[in-house]
Amino acid sequence: SQKIEQNSEALNIQEGKTATLTCNYTNYSPAYLQWYRQDPGRGPVFLLLIRENEKEKRKERLKVTFDTTLKQSLFHITASQPADSATYLCALNDYKLSFGAGTTVTVRA
Amino acid sequence: GAVVSQHPSWVICKSGTSVKIECRSLDFQATTMFWYRQFPKQSLMLMATSNEGSKATYEQGVEKDKFLINHASLTLSTLTVTSAHPEDSSFYICSARVGTSGLTDTQYFGPGTRLTVL
């Protein structure tokens, strides 16, 4: 089974800076990789999906990259805001979703 | 659109009792629903996948006789934790998927149910 590692448990950044989160996996590359946001005591909310043949995907201030050679996805939040504070989960989609443990981002005003 | 609700949002029960959690897709029909469990600071772990009118498919290590799943309609799935014990205390989250493509169709997650077994 896949082992999914998100590089750090917590990330603290200043408002306006870019947060960069890493998701590494160990086995085969999934056809799709997804990123979710989870607030405390709530279920995950879908943010972005990237396909294995896509290098980069953007949505507003969010950017995701997918490198199947490195077996890695990077998730960027640009011009971060305190409202972006949450836990971000990466998930590999191979007909079932396998989640990483998440990285908690705190944006300081 | 694409809202999934869960009820109750939290429940406290005594050891040995059974607890039922409901998951509803409010504005769409879900061909498939999923049940996850999440322990503090850990990832969501898939427990089972259920299709309307069919028996649920359980992940390895999940006891199907303990975690009973019923998917009676395209908008409702229930998870019953039977003879609950303190180690079953966790955050249970359901999700619902429209369509039949497991790869591209988005899963919409419910808000979760916090179960505490005393």
Side-chain angles (χ1 to χ4, degrees):
Chain A
S1 61
Q2 288 274 19
K3 184 178 180 183
I4 303 163
E5 290 184 350
Q6 294 192 238
N7 67 322
S8 60
E9 195 174 299
L11 185 65
N12 295 298
I13 60 169
Q14 186 72 38
E15 182 176 9
K17 301 293 186 183
T18 296
T20 299
L21 286 62
T22 304
C23 175
N24 294 292
Y25 54 94
T26 56
N27 294 346
Y28 57 87
S29 289
Y32 299 84
L33 189 146
Q34 301 179 6
W35 283 88
Y36 289 79
R37 168 182 173 141
Q38 186 176 25
D39 290 286
R42 307 291 294 175
V45 175
F46 171 77
L47 296 175
L48 280 167
L49 175 151
I50 187 166
R51 295 172 171 76
E52 62 178 339
N53 60 354
E54 294 179 315
K55 295 292 185 185
E56 183 179 296
K57 200 79 168 281
R58 291 175 184 263
K59 179 183 176 183
E60 298 173 354
R61 295 183 294 108
L62 307 178
K63 185 178 83 171
V64 173
T65 62
F66 192 7
D67 189 326
T68 56
T69 301
L70 293 178
K71 295 186 178 180
Q72 180 181 82
S73 175
L74 298 179
F75 178 82
H76 306 271
I77 307 172
T78 60
S80 60
Q81 304 168 0
D84 296 327
S85 298
T87 296
Y88 293 85
L89 311 171
C90 75
L92 276 55
N93 190 351
D94 195 21
Y95 294 98
K96 292 188 295 189
L97 289 179
S98 298
F99 284 88
T103 297
T104 299
V105 174
T106 302
V107 182
R108 304 187 307 274
Chain B
V3 177
V4 175
S5 70
Q6 280 184 243
H7 179 79
S9 55
W10 60 269
V11 58
I12 302 173
C13 69
K14 292 183 178 180
S15 185
T17 60
S18 294
V19 174
K20 180 186 283 188
I21 302 170
E22 289 187 351
C23 176
R24 292 182 185 272
S25 57
L26 297 185
D27 49 2
F28 66 99
Q29 292 187 326
T31 50
T32 306
M33 287 185 167
F34 304 85
W35 287 95
Y36 295 83
R37 181 167 52 181
Q38 186 178 33
F39 293 105
K41 296 193 180 298
Q42 293 187 25
S43 61
L44 278 77
M45 298 299 298
L46 179 65
M47 299 175 67
T49 301
S50 75
N51 292 292
E52 183 260 341
S54 303
K55 287 186 178 179
T57 301
Y58 290 82
E59 294 300 302
Q60 192 173 9
V62 178
E63 300 173 57
K64 63 180 181 180
D65 294 330
K66 181 171 184 60
F67 298 99
L68 301 178
I69 292 172
N70 184 278
H71 194 161
S73 76
L74 286 171
T75 59
L76 173 64
S77 176
T78 60
L79 168 68
T80 301
V81 183
T82 62
S83 187
H85 288 94
E87 57 266 30
D88 298 323
S89 299
S90 187
F91 193 49
Y92 291 86
I93 306 171
C94 73
S95 71
R97 187 179 72 199
V98 179
T100 56
S101 171
L103 293 177
T104 57
D105 292 325
T106 300
Q107 285 187 33
Y108 299 96
F109 286 81
T113 296
R114 174 76 57 193
L115 170 63
T116 301
V117 185
L118 302 177

